[in-house]
Amino acid sequence: MVRTVNGDWLIRARDGRLGVYTTRGDEVWSRAERRPGGAWTPWRKTGGDQRLHPGLAVGRGADGYAHLVSWRPTKAEEAGLVHSTHFRVHLAALDWLPIGHPDRTGARTGRPAVAVDAEGRAHVFVGNRSGGVHVRIQKERGGWTGWTDLEGTDMHDELTAVAGESGRIELYATHPAGVLRWLQEEAGAAPVPTDPLAVPVEPGTLSALPTSKEHTTLFFADPEGMLYAWRPESDPVPLLAAAGPGPVALLRCTLDGHDCTLLAQRSASGRVAFAAYPTEQEAAGLWWTESGPQLPVDTAVALAEDADGRIVAATVTPEGELRVARQKDEPGLALAAWQEV
């Protein structure tokens, strides 16, 4: 599965409107609700006229602002990273601004990832030519730090970055021996490596979700397709067979008064599969329930809560067809019919 957008591409902005991001060729496009829970605007090009390479990283801060990062061509056989901020999903984003290259110059080195800390600072991560990873961090009063080498070797292309409930940033990556993890010890500082997790991991299946003040839970699939949940200082817990390829979409939500973790994924049948369990209680068990129409391969799936606290599931096809389903006002995870918007 090719993931063209790395991060949460369905977000709820500060004013309660939902917005989505996708890529088309060498451009980034977005749509937003005209009002919370209302009709949607048409697709619009985001971030000015800058031509981009395929692929986008999205990170959402606690302030509801979206931070977008992508590669742009600079000159023959070379590229550089650019960043844009979207303060309101229904308005125009800021123009793309260059933030450089982890190796100063050269071709693209990997898919970027971005996470936003409690102070609203974007942390941009990207692989380097040595098979490790670099980070560049926004300063609280404007500008950026220099690139910092977080080291690592033989890493696979895709990175997963997340801000924990404390606002501190965590980074995950896979390599042939398992999962690498970096943890931010001080706000605004570069994350530092922690003990790796030596397990078989299928590359491109990582996703992470803050599940308590103390923990972020990492989800991944092994090469046989079994989905696992893992928190540091414990062993990975097998959950169930993955519904399909790629990472699961995640949301922490309340179902029937219980704190739950909701998973969603495009299944092998082409429909969207959902599973939920009490947060951090993997032993309770879970199972997939499929919903909606069959969707093309490489359709992206995302989860969010709307301004009224209802769960919203969204899918966007490679051709830009957006469908949305909202939680009904009844017990359990009951979704209204999927609607093309």
Side-chain angles (χ1 to χ4, degrees), residues 94-111:
L94 298 180
D95 287 342
W96 295 102
L97 296 177
I99 55 174
H101 191 291
D103 299 306
R104 296 191 178 182
T105 60
R108 289 178 289 170
T109 54
R111 300 180 191 174

Side-chain angles (χ1 to χ4, degrees), residues 7 14 50 58 61 64 69 74 76 80-81 90 120 142 152 155 162 173 178 183-184 207-208 261 274 296 309 318:
R14 193 171 188 170
Q50 173 67 60
V58 181
V69 177
T74 53
L81 287 163
H90 65 294
M155 287 170 30
V162 63
L183 178 63
Q184 192 175 48
S207 53
T261 295
F274 296 92

Side-chain angles (χ1 to χ4, degrees), residues 29 85 90 109 115 142 168 176:
W29 290 74
T85 306
H90 65 294
T109 54
R168 302 290 174 85

Side-chain angles (χ1 to χ4, degrees), residues 35-326:
R35 58 175 178 79
W40 288 69
T41 63
W43 287 108
R44 63 186 297 171
K45 190 165 63 174
T46 298
D49 295 327
Q50 173 67 60
R51 187 166 65 91
L52 303 170
H53 285 296
L56 172 71
V58 181
R60 177 187 179 273
D63 53 14
Y65 301 158
H67 291 259
L68 316 176
V69 177
S70 188
W71 286 102
R72 66 163 181 170
T74 53
K75 55 184 180 180
E77 307 301 325
E78 293 192 6
L81 287 163
V82 287
H83 168 268
S84 176
T85 306
H86 213 167
F87 296 111
R88 294 287 187 273
V89 292
H90 65 294
L91 301 177
L94 298 180
D95 287 342
W96 295 102
L97 296 177
I99 55 174
H101 191 291
D103 299 306
R104 296 191 178 182
T105 60
R108 289 178 289 170
T109 54
R111 300 180 191 174
V114 58
V116 186
D117 68 12
E119 288 74 32
R121 294 173 293 204
H123 295 56
V124 177
F125 301 92
V126 68
N128 54 43
R129 280 196 296 261
S130 302
V133 63
H134 272 67
V135 62
R136 195 168 192 192
I137 303 172
Q138 273 188 320
K139 296 179 181 179
E140 197 164 1
R141 297 184 179 179
W144 295 77
T145 66
W147 287 102
T148 300
D149 187 355
L150 303 184
E151 301 179 349
T153 58
D154 299 325
M155 287 170 30
H156 296 131
D157 186 44
E158 201 158 283
L159 305 171
T160 296
V162 63
E165 284 198 3
S166 66
R168 302 290 174 85
I169 303 299
E170 300 180 36
L171 175 70
Y172 299 88
T174 60
H175 69 136
V179 177
L180 301 177
R181 175 176 176 256
W182 291 260
L183 178 63
Q184 192 175 48
E185 296 180 338
E186 180 182 345
V192 298
T194 64
D195 292 337
L197 175 64
V199 292
V201 179
E202 180 67 19
T205 64
L206 298 186
S207 53
L209 179 72
T211 49
S212 67
K213 292 182 179 179
E214 297 80 18
H215 297 124
T216 292
T217 301
L218 180 73
F219 295 81
F220 64 88
D222 67 13
E224 285 70 45
M226 176 58 68
L227 189 64
Y228 287 81
W230 175 69
R231 287 179 292 279
E233 303 177 2
S234 65
D235 293 328
V237 178
L239 298 176
L240 74 175
V248 292
L250 300 168
L251 180 68
R252 190 175 172 194
C253 56
T254 300
L255 293 174
D256 297 336
H258 299 286
D259 179 359
C260 291
T261 295
L262 177 62
L263 288 63
Q265 192 171 38
R266 180 189 176 275
S267 70
S269 74
R271 304 177 73 198
V272 179
F274 296 92
Y277 68 96
T279 297
E280 297 193 353
Q281 298 180 40
E282 287 79 13
L286 66 165
W287 55 91
W288 294 114
T289 300
E290 295 191 1
S291 171
Q294 290 186 328
L295 300 166
V297 174
D298 291 336
T299 293
V301 180
L303 298 167
E305 283 189 337
D306 68 10
D308 296 322
R310 294 175 298 177
I311 295 167
V312 177
T315 63
V316 63
T317 67
E319 292 73 32
E321 184 179 88
L322 175 65
R323 286 187 173 94
V324 173
R326 293 180 191 266

